[in-house]
Amino acid sequence: MSKQQRGKKHRTLQKRVSRPSLPRPHRADPALPGSLDHTARMLEHAKPDQIVELVLPFMWAALSDGRAPANICVDACLTLRNAYGQLGVRAELLPVTVAIQKKTGAGTLYGSLAPTWTGTEWNGHCALVLPDSERFVDPTIEQFDEVRKIGMGPMVGKVAMSIREDGSLVEPGAQVILQRGDLVLTYTVAGPEALASIAEHPEVIAHADGHRRTGVNTASLTLAALRAEGVRDRAMQAPHPRLHALLQAVGDAPYESDEAQDVRFCLPDQSGQEHWMRLDEIPLPPSTPAAWPH
């Protein structure tokens, strides 16, 4: 959604796991709350088959705290699609509407089944679907006041999906119903025209390189967190061969954010000379699956 909203940070006292020190972001007017405490919780408790899918949207929310762009959902989903793909997880955009209903029965509908653009802002709502694990991800659900008050971060849920003959991942008009506190969130899937309104728009095409770059950086910081003590063993059990190859390649190498705010790892070449490399520059074995999207 395009409307920026201001929210409080929600912090919970908890046992922390090792996690990376993050590059200091440039601040702007707050739009979404985000906390590394949420990310730490995911790192500490997520099972091997969940860890990448759960940690990435929470890492994005933490890094974007106070910096999320105006067109939040589109930018977030395009960034996370690239981030998931760098770690070997296929993710696809899913335009939706979301009806948020309170226990009193009152509710509000956000988004449109026929979204349009107003200048550089898309008047709809967008989420992600992870077809291989059948998960639904709404990284920007806390842009809505009633959900943000609960303070649980991005929405990640397990859903049953049917792949259509034309390749669509979820039938248009299908609904995904998830619970958040005492709220019921009913997502309705828009059709292929809504997806085309994102993918084919000049604004999205013009910023494709930027979404890929921020996705690579988000994946880099997530990889650094996944190699921490108490986390790496579970990450190596995740069903993602590309993630395994990256964890092995990076090892305990130092990393830093350069002047352009790109995250780079310091790795030696065959002669032992050290080079600072972005995640998408690190040599991997030939058998390693390519990053998504191909």
Side-chain angles (χ1 to χ4, degrees):
M1 299 294 289
S2 61
K3 185 177 181 181
Q4 291 193 7
Q5 301 187 37
R6 187 180 302 269
K8 296 180 180 179
K9 296 179 182 178
H10 299 266
R11 299 188 181 275
T12 303
L13 294 176
Q14 59 188 29
K15 179 182 178 182
R16 294 173 183 260
V17 298
S18 299
R19 60 185 184 231
S21 57
L22 303 179
R24 193 172 188 83
H26 295 294
R27 291 284 172 175
D29 290 337
L32 284 177
S35 170
L36 283 177
D37 289 336
H38 289 304
T39 311
R41 192 182 312 162
M42 297 298 106
L43 288 166
E44 184 179 3
H45 297 294
K47 298 178 181 178
D49 65 336
Q50 303 172 332
I51 195 162
V52 175
E53 287 91 334
L54 291 179
V55 169
L56 261 174
F58 281 86
M59 180 68 79
W60 173 86
L63 294 172
S64 300
D65 188 16
R67 305 183 297 125
N71 202 20
I72 293 175
C73 64
V74 170
D75 288 289
C77 288
L78 288 170
T79 292
L80 281 171
R81 183 177 187 238
N82 282 285
Y84 275 119
Q86 286 294 320
L87 300 184
V89 179
R90 180 186 173 193
E92 297 290 3
L93 299 180
L94 191 67
V96 294
T97 62
V98 55
I100 302 176
Q101 187 174 24
K102 302 177 182 179
K103 60 183 179 181
T104 60
T108 305
L109 178 68
Y110 299 96
S112 170
L113 294 178
T116 58
W117 286 80
T118 302
T120 60
E121 296 185 356
W122 188 67
N123 304 312
H125 189 56
C126 186
L128 288 169
V129 63
L130 313 181
D132 295 329
S133 60
E134 294 193 332
R135 285 194 171 89
F136 174 92
V137 180
D138 186 348
T140 66
I141 188 61
E142 288 199 335
Q143 68 185 287
F144 306 120
D145 289 337
E146 56 268 55
V147 181
R148 183 172 61 248
K149 291 176 182 177
I150 299 173
M152 293 176 62
M155 174 69 76
V156 183
K158 190 83 170 177
V159 297
M161 297 180 296
S162 59
I163 299 177
R164 306 174 67 217
E165 292 182 0
D166 64 2
S168 300
L169 295 171
V170 184
E171 183 81 25
Q175 292 189 329
V176 175
I177 301 175
L178 300 172
Q179 190 88 20
R180 173 59 62 91
D182 61 355
L183 301 176
V184 175
L185 282 63
T186 302
Y187 292 89
T188 301
V189 178
E193 296 83 3
L195 179 59
S197 76
I198 300 176
E200 298 174 5
H201 195 273
E203 180 73 11
V204 171
I205 295 172
H207 290 87
D209 288 343
H211 289 130
R212 185 178 186 279
R213 175 185 168 191
T214 53
V216 170
N217 287 329
T218 303
S220 298
L221 293 169
T222 301
L223 184 71
L226 291 173
R227 68 181 183 173
E229 182 180 356
V231 182
R232 189 180 189 277
D233 288 346
R234 277 179 291 127
M236 287 297 293
Q237 297 175 45
H240 310 304
R242 183 175 178 83
L243 172 64
H244 304 164
L246 284 167
L247 284 169
Q248 291 170 345
V250 169
D252 295 325
Y255 70 96
E256 67 179 21
S257 178
D258 63 18
E259 293 181 357
Q261 296 295 304
D262 286 329
V263 179
R264 296 181 182 272
F265 293 87
C266 186
L267 296 170
D269 60 19
Q270 292 182 345
S271 66
Q273 184 176 359
E274 293 184 338
H275 298 274
W276 287 94
M277 290 181 280
R278 285 166 49 98
L279 190 67
D280 54 350
E281 298 171 340
I282 296 174
L284 299 174
S287 60
T288 305
W292 187 267
H294 300 158

